[in-house]
Amino acid sequence: MRKFLFKIVNFLQGRYGIDELYKFLFIVFWIIAILSIIIRNPIIYLLEILICAYMMFRAFSRNIYKRQNENAKYLKIRDKILGKLKLQKRKWADRKTHIYRKCPNCKAEIRLPKKKGKHICTCPSCKKDFKVRCR
Ligand SMILES: [Zn+2]
């Protein structure tokens, strides 16, 4: 028994393990696994196996640097999407009191109080003036 545990510990030493990308793939894997029960399709089944194999490959990989880079790329994409969703949520919550406009110069999203008519506003990030029309 001790010898067996020693072998396992030895095997796991220096392996990459679990990260955020692994957790995301785990959720995707289960969604596809449930889908494959409902829809019996060999392509979905193949996808399920491929995701599982990729998860195992990453978790047991010894190339930690490469796996960390993959995870960093995933986090960058995830944060971008979550940031956009957060902004949409905020736009919806403020829709009666504020308007959102993109600065024509630096493309920054600016939150402005909702006042009828034409206005000139100054971008807080690039300090340039631009016209805003609000109905
Ligand atoms: Zn600007």
Side-chain angles (χ1 to χ4, degrees):
M1 188 65 190
R2 254 186 107 130
K3 209 173 172 187
F4 179 69
L5 283 175
F6 181 76
K7 269 186 178 175
I8 289 174
V9 168
N10 206 26
F11 175 75
L12 292 174
Q13 216 137 48
R15 306 282 175 171
Y16 183 61
I18 290 167
D19 61 5
E20 290 301 309
L21 179 55
Y22 182 93
K23 290 174 192 169
F24 172 72
L25 288 171
F26 187 76
I27 293 165
V28 172
F29 171 77
W30 276 105
I31 291 168
I32 291 174
I34 291 163
L35 264 179
S36 79
I37 294 168
I38 302 164
I39 311 160
R40 296 203 173 267
N41 185 318
I43 293 167
I44 291 174
Y45 185 65
L46 184 71
L47 197 66
E48 193 183 329
I49 291 168
L50 285 175
I51 288 173
C52 189
Y54 186 55
M55 280 165 67
M56 291 302 137
F57 163 74
R58 289 192 78 251
F60 295 119
S61 171
R62 285 188 194 274
N63 195 343
I64 290 166
Y65 177 73
K66 236 181 173 177
R67 302 291 86 81
Q68 281 174 338
N69 273 347
E70 289 166 1
N71 190 49
K73 275 181 196 165
Y74 160 72
L75 289 176
K76 209 173 163 187
I77 294 166
R78 186 192 74 177
D79 291 347
K80 208 174 173 185
I81 293 168
L82 287 179
K84 278 185 181 173
L85 285 175
K86 236 179 183 173
L87 182 66
Q88 289 304 319
K89 198 179 163 192
R90 199 167 162 204
K91 275 182 181 178
W92 180 254
D94 296 346
R95 71 190 181 281
K96 284 179 181 160
T97 56
H98 292 82
I99 57 168
Y100 286 79
R101 291 290 183 269
K102 250 187 188 153
C103 168
N105 188 48
C106 71
K107 311 288 180 223
E109 192 94 17
I110 302 161
R111 181 174 176 257
L112 302 161
K114 204 172 189 175
K115 281 190 265 173
K116 278 190 178 178
K118 285 179 191 170
H119 307 281
I120 290 174
C121 77
T122 307
C123 173
S125 49
C126 70
K127 312 290 179 208
K128 292 244 174 158
D129 290 341
F130 64 95
K131 284 180 194 165
V132 174
R133 194 194 288 171
C134 184
R135 275 173 243 141

